[in-house]
């Protein structure tokens, strides 16, 4: 079985279309969507329409939860998306599960099996962000009974195989390759190139899972111009370079 995993699109329809076209050339059985789908100052309505038409197995991320919450506490990315989405698109988002078991061996989560905010394969310290240790990853995986756990949230493509054989894979972000945040401690997450990211996980004849991380070219200058036109100059450098620009907030 071959599974393509996409995550953290953030309304970047051009990046999504490029990734879906690349996936179509690679003979996968199913594509799954791990959340943070529309929030951001790009094309939330068109992105939701594209994905609703595809009917992919999809879970919600923290941004889906937030954009349906209290408007007084809503961040600017969520508020922009909320204002653009149609009622039927909001209903679609409201119906998304927090986690999903694709089959007995495969679990889809956004952050970890128990939180959409906790980083799975990265850790935040007073010194910033770093790759999580195997022990940290194992603690976050807990007793989740799945040979393959697909996660998102951090925007950083990474995979870790635990001592018990479980494989945890973060495909990275389709739509935004750098951001900064102050959850836990102030930190940045940067991929260093603007390419859209996704992953393909494959189960071998022996039942073991492996994964490959993919990076795809698209017109990131066009995406940066759209973000600027929609009032997010702080997204321009992240979209064009994969590094955090001044005062960037995802």
């Amino acid at each position: 079985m071959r599974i393509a995993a996409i995550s953290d699109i953030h309304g970047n329809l051009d990046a999504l279309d490029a990734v879906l076209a690349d996936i179509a050339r690679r003979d996968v059985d199913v594509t799954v969507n791990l959340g943070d789908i529309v929030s951001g100052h790009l094309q939330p309505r068109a992105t939701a329409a594209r994905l609703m038409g595809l009917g992919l197995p999809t879970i919600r991320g923290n941004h889906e939860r937030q954009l349906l919450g209290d408007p007084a506490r809503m961040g600017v990315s969520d508020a922009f998306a909320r204002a653009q989405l149609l009622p039927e698109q909001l209903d679609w988002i409201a119906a998304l599960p927090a986690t999903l078991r694709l089959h007995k061996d495969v679990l889809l989560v956004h952050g970890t099996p128990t939180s959409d905010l906790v980083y799975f394969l990265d850790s935040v310290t007073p010194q910033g962000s770093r790759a999580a240790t195997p022990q940290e990853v194992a603690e976050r995986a807990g007793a989740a009974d799945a040979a393959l756990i697909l996660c998102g949230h951090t925007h950083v493509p990474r995979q870790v195989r635990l001592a018990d054989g479980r494989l945890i894979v973060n495909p990275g972000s389709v739509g935004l390759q750098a951001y900064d945040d102050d959850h836990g401690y102030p930190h940045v997450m940067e991929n260093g190139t603007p390419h859209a990211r996704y992953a393909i996980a494959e189960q071998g004849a022996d039942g073991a899972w492996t994964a490959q991380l993919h990076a795809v070219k698209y017109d990131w200058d066009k995406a940066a111009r759209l973000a600027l036109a929609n009032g997010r100059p702080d997204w321009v450098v992240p979209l064009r370079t994969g590094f955090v620009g001044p005062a960037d907030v995802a």
Side-chain angles (χ1 to χ4, degrees):
M1 185 177 190
R2 285 167 59 83
I3 303 170
I6 62 175
S7 192
D8 298 278
I9 301 162
H10 285 282
N12 192 336
L13 182 61
D14 287 348
L16 173 62
D17 282 342
V19 163
L20 292 174
D22 198 71
I23 290 170
R25 294 192 288 266
R26 295 184 184 271
D27 190 28
V28 304
D29 297 296
V30 63
T31 299
V32 300
N33 178 5
L34 304 175
D36 281 8
I37 301 163
V38 295
S39 288
H41 289 56
L42 295 173
Q43 294 175 275
R45 184 186 299 179
T47 300
R50 179 87 161 95
L51 289 165
M52 288 173 68
L54 293 174
L56 307 179
T58 299
I59 60 173
R60 68 173 183 259
N62 59 295
H63 279 283
E64 280 69 56
R65 173 175 53 78
Q66 291 161 191
L67 70 81
L68 294 175
D70 180 359
R73 302 180 62 187
M74 200 173 292
V76 292
S77 290
D78 298 327
F80 183 89
R82 174 69 183 255
Q84 298 290 319
L85 294 174
L86 300 173
E88 58 267 30
Q89 295 173 332
L90 291 169
D91 290 344
W92 173 68
I93 288 170
L96 295 175
T99 65
L100 181 66
R101 190 168 288 274
L102 194 61
H103 61 70
K104 65 182 182 66
D105 280 339
V106 181
L107 178 64
L108 314 183
V109 306
H110 182 69
T112 71
T114 59
S115 172
D116 63 14
L117 285 176
V118 174
Y119 291 174
F120 209 149
L121 303 184
D122 290 82
S123 293
V124 176
T125 73
Q127 290 73 44
S129 64
R130 58 165 173 77
T133 67
Q135 181 178 353
E136 289 169 335
V137 175
E139 289 172 353
R140 294 164 193 166
D145 183 19
L148 174 67
I149 305 175
L150 299 172
C151 66
H153 189 43
T154 66
H155 297 208
V156 176
R158 202 184 299 285
Q159 59 180 305
V160 172
R161 189 177 300 278
L162 298 178
D164 60 16
R166 288 180 293 176
L167 181 65
I168 296 89
V169 179
N170 187 325
S173 173
V174 170
L176 185 65
Q177 301 309 318
Y179 68 90
D180 68 3
D181 202 346
D182 59 3
H183 185 70
Y185 299 97
H187 62 280
V188 299
M189 307 299 288
E190 298 175 315
N191 287 324
T193 79
H195 296 73
R197 313 300 177 112
Y198 77 96
I200 293 177
E202 182 171 7
Q203 188 175 34
D206 61 355
W209 287 92
T210 57
Q212 290 185 329
L213 303 171
H214 295 275
V216 180
K217 291 182 178 180
Y218 77 102
D219 191 346
W220 43 74
D221 286 327
K222 177 183 173 184
R225 290 193 299 271
L226 180 59
L228 183 61
N230 286 342
R232 289 304 294 272
D234 51 315
W235 275 37
V236 170
V237 172
L239 286 167
R240 283 181 170 157
T241 69
F243 291 100
V244 170
D248 180 58
V249 180

